[in-house]
Amino acid sequence: MDKSSIIFGNPIPNKTIKKANKSKKKYIKAFGDDTNVDYYLKPVPIDTLDFISTSNLVLSDHEETLPGKPLIVGNIRMGFGHYRISIAIASCAKALGYDPYWLDLASLDTTGSKMIRKQNNMYSLASRISQKSKLFNKIIWEPLNSEGFKKITYNAVDQKNSELLAPIFKHLDKVIPYVATHVWPSQGAIHGGMKHVVNAIPDNWAMGLHLSEGAIHVVQTPFAYLGYKTLNGFAKKPLKGLPASDLKMVGCYIDHELLVNLKEDNELRIKRLQNDHMRILLTVGGAGAGGDMFTAMIKHLLPLVKEGRVSLFINFGDHLTVYEKMKKEIKDFNPICFFDEYDKFKELVNNLRTNDNKGIYAIYNKDIFKAVYSTNLIMKECDLLITKPGELAYYPIPKLFMKHIGGHEVYGAIHSQEFGDSTFECPTKESICNMLDRLIDDKEIMYELIKNINKLNDEHYYDGAYKAVKLAAGTYEE
């Protein structure tokens, strides 16, 4: 099923087609040709996500039928973002009566999986280098993420490589609803014959990278919708855009658990601010970048922590090295640590609802699900989230944005700022510390952000994950 020669009615140059075929052959040479291999999948419960009864699909030696009312969430680990969106989809699927199954295509022992891991390793390395080298960031990383990935010709190469993922789907029931939170799991599912595929696009900046012809493309914002409807800037000349049947603007992909009591969460935020106390959540991303910025902010906030005006909650994810670096560089940095103590951490979160906890708290989990979901758990009990403008740019909590990593993230920050639930990007240590002072001292800014979050919630702005599930299941109504 060739999808590299013509993409949404737009012919691709022969030069690019040859490049795509060469790329696929390169991975077959490196990892083998498993086109005719029979892969079977079986469910294994994910203990961390037991509250939504999610099971991980892993390789099996025999064919199994997925029990219940299955919906598959196809994903990969690339940083934490795609996992976080996947949890939101699974959460809303469960709330809507489905049994969510987790399929991480990069975690399997197949040719296509090894191809993904190879590309992801290169992406993660480049992401970290971009934070250390201004020259690399300016000349290579920023242009690639904003313009290189935007070209429709980039999609042609990815589509050809994604044919290597088709064997994974050979023995799955093709009519099971399927939501992909990265384009490769979407493309792989289409090549593998899945019939009801939704491609949940994470970024606000429209890019050829995210095209998966044959799937329903869902986006979070009007800006992204127009970008894919017109494919503006995807080539030097105008292109045919996505038809209405293949593109829907659904809103932000947010977990059911974060929405069900959002109004009450915001009321508690206002009460804490009125008592001159702010809980700040800092998140270290899946690539482990941004350590120097975190160090600068913590040093700046330490006096306010000692005064009892600020409490800090730092989720180091699965990057213990970032914590160890901070311990060396920050005097008097002695947080209360929850390292691989997930149950104990959940007790802390529960107590935060009614207790006035002060100080600094550090969270770390080597388990990927615990590392990602710790942020979601404690987010409800915090007042301000400090993050780069990636997937967390769309979450219903006041946000302070660090410098983006990759040019595509710029437009997530712009969108969130214009919709009124975040600050603008603060790219330097000085600018982000200054913004922290403003938010802590001028509470009217925080009140306005919270008011806008309530307004957006009333408008169902955060209901994108519910709608993505309904589109995959065929129950969506405009």
Side-chain angles (χ1 to χ4, degrees):
M1 184 165 47
D2 176 58
K3 292 188 174 294
S4 297
S5 302
I6 299 175
I7 299 174
F8 286 107
N10 300 291
I12 302 301
N14 287 330
K15 180 180 178 181
T16 300
I17 296 171
K18 290 179 181 178
K19 180 182 177 181
N21 288 322
K22 184 178 179 181
S23 179
K24 180 182 176 182
K25 290 177 181 178
K26 178 187 72 174
Y27 286 115
I28 289 175
K29 183 177 180 180
F31 303 125
D33 187 351
D34 62 356
T35 303
N36 297 316
V37 175
D38 287 311
Y39 292 116
Y40 303 106
L41 299 169
K42 66 178 181 181
V44 176
I46 302 173
D47 293 339
T48 306
L49 303 181
D50 58 354
F51 61 98
I52 49 176
S53 306
T54 302
S55 291
N56 193 19
L57 294 178
V58 301
L59 292 179
S60 173
D61 58 4
H62 62 280
E63 189 170 359
E64 294 190 26
T65 300
L66 298 184
K69 190 177 178 182
L71 180 141
I72 297 174
V73 184
N75 58 69
I76 65 170
R77 170 173 180 171
M78 179 172 277
F80 286 165
H82 301 283
Y83 259 39
R84 193 178 307 285
I85 296 170
S86 296
I87 293 172
I89 298 295
S91 167
C92 291
K94 184 65 177 179
L96 291 171
Y98 296 91
D99 296 293
Y101 290 88
W102 189 278
L103 178 57
D104 179 351
L105 273 69
S107 68
L108 307 176
D109 188 25
T110 73
T111 294
S113 300
K114 293 172 184 176
M115 177 268 296
I116 290 176
R117 291 199 293 270
K118 176 75 172 178
Q119 294 200 48
N120 190 28
N121 288 339
M122 291 188 293
Y123 186 91
S124 296
L125 175 62
S127 179
R128 291 191 294 272
I129 293 173
S130 74
Q131 297 300 291
K132 298 177 181 178
S133 171
K134 292 182 179 179
L135 188 63
F136 176 83
N137 192 50
K138 181 178 180 180
I139 296 175
I140 298 175
W141 197 237
E142 286 278 341
L144 178 63
N145 274 275
S146 58
E147 298 300 332
F149 291 157
K150 188 176 185 68
K151 303 305 180 187
I152 197 169
T153 49
Y154 191 93
N155 182 254
V157 178
D158 262 5
Q159 278 282 17
K160 184 57 64 175
N161 289 334
S162 291
E163 292 175 4
L164 298 172
L165 298 167
I168 296 171
F169 298 89
K170 186 183 297 184
H171 293 285
L172 278 175
D173 184 346
K174 302 300 187 291
V175 299
I176 293 175
Y178 180 100
V179 180
T181 60
H182 185 282
V183 71
W184 293 336
S186 178
Q187 293 169 349
I190 295 295
H191 287 302
M194 300 299 287
K195 302 298 184 184
H196 305 292
V197 179
V198 167
N199 176 27
I201 296 174
D203 295 315
N204 197 25
W205 179 241
M207 296 187 288
L209 166 70
H210 292 305
L211 295 175
S212 177
E213 189 166 4
I216 298 174
H217 298 64
V218 297
V219 295
Q220 301 184 86
T221 71
F223 181 70
Y225 177 86
L226 184 60
Y228 288 105
K229 198 75 181 71
T230 63
L231 297 186
N232 181 51
F234 283 48
K236 291 182 179 179
K237 61 180 182 179
L239 300 173
K240 296 178 181 178
L242 273 64
S245 59
D246 289 8
L247 178 64
K248 303 292 180 184
M249 203 287 283
V250 296
C252 303
Y253 315 131
I254 308 298
D255 313 56
H256 173 74
E257 291 73 23
L258 289 173
L259 295 176
V260 67
N261 290 316
L262 181 56
K263 186 176 180 181
E264 178 185 317
D265 297 341
N266 282 332
E267 289 172 353
L268 291 173
R269 285 170 179 142
I270 290 172
K271 287 181 180 178
R272 285 190 292 269
L273 293 170
Q274 289 172 339
N275 290 327
D276 197 26
H277 183 67
M278 182 184 290
R279 294 174 178 172
I280 299 176
L281 171 59
L282 297 89
T283 61
V284 177
D292 291 341
M293 289 284 279
F294 284 115
T295 298
M297 285 186 282
I298 293 168
K299 286 181 178 179
H300 184 77
L301 290 169
L302 272 177
L304 295 175
V305 173
K306 292 176 180 178
E307 292 174 13
R309 296 184 63 197
V310 167
S311 294
L312 292 179
F313 299 86
I314 311 164
N315 183 13
F316 291 93
D318 58 359
H319 293 284
L320 194 58
T321 54
V322 179
Y323 166 79
E324 292 167 345
K325 186 172 184 287
M326 286 184 186
K327 281 288 288 182
K328 291 179 181 178
E329 296 183 0
I330 305 175
K331 185 181 179 181
D332 298 330
F333 181 62
N334 297 300
I336 300 169
C337 294
F338 295 84
F339 288 1
D340 286 320
E341 295 179 304
Y342 193 66
D343 289 337
K344 186 178 176 182
F345 169 69
K346 288 196 290 185
E347 289 179 12
L348 167 71
V349 173
N350 289 334
N351 290 333
L352 284 173
R353 199 70 175 175
T354 54
N355 292 353
D356 189 22
N357 294 60
K358 301 289 178 71
I360 303 177
Y361 301 80
I363 304 108
Y364 159 83
N365 288 281
K366 62 178 177 288
D367 176 83
I368 177 64
F369 293 104
K370 295 175 182 177
V372 173
Y373 202 69
S374 290
T375 291
N376 292 43
L377 279 174
I378 202 164
M379 185 188 300
K380 291 169 61 64
E381 311 305 334
C382 289
D383 307 315
L384 178 69
L385 170 66
I386 301 177
T387 179
K388 68 183 183 67
E391 77 291 341
L392 284 170
Y394 305 93
Y395 275 64
I397 179 174
K399 294 170 288 289
L400 193 169
F401 285 139
M402 300 165 58
K403 180 177 172 58
H404 62 272
I405 301 178
H408 60 295
E409 290 186 346
V410 172
Y411 299 89
I414 292 172
H415 172 80
S416 188
Q417 179 190 347
E418 290 185 335
F419 271 57
D421 62 358
S422 79
T423 70
F424 43 79
E425 262 192 83
C426 298
T428 65
K429 298 172 185 177
E430 293 76 18
S431 63
I432 203 162
C433 289
N434 179 64
M435 180 56 75
L436 276 168
D437 290 341
R438 295 296 294 269
L439 294 172
I440 293 167
D441 293 332
D442 187 352
K443 296 184 176 54
E444 292 301 323
I445 300 174
M446 289 291 295
Y447 295 151
E448 186 69 15
L449 297 178
I450 292 170
K451 182 183 78 174
N452 289 334
I453 290 170
N454 282 330
K455 177 175 178 290
L456 292 168
N457 189 44
D458 289 341
E459 296 170 353
H460 301 284
Y461 169 75
Y462 300 114
D463 287 359
Y466 297 113
K467 295 176 183 177
V469 168
K470 290 178 181 180
L471 279 163
T475 61
Y476 179 76
E477 295 181 5
E478 297 276 1

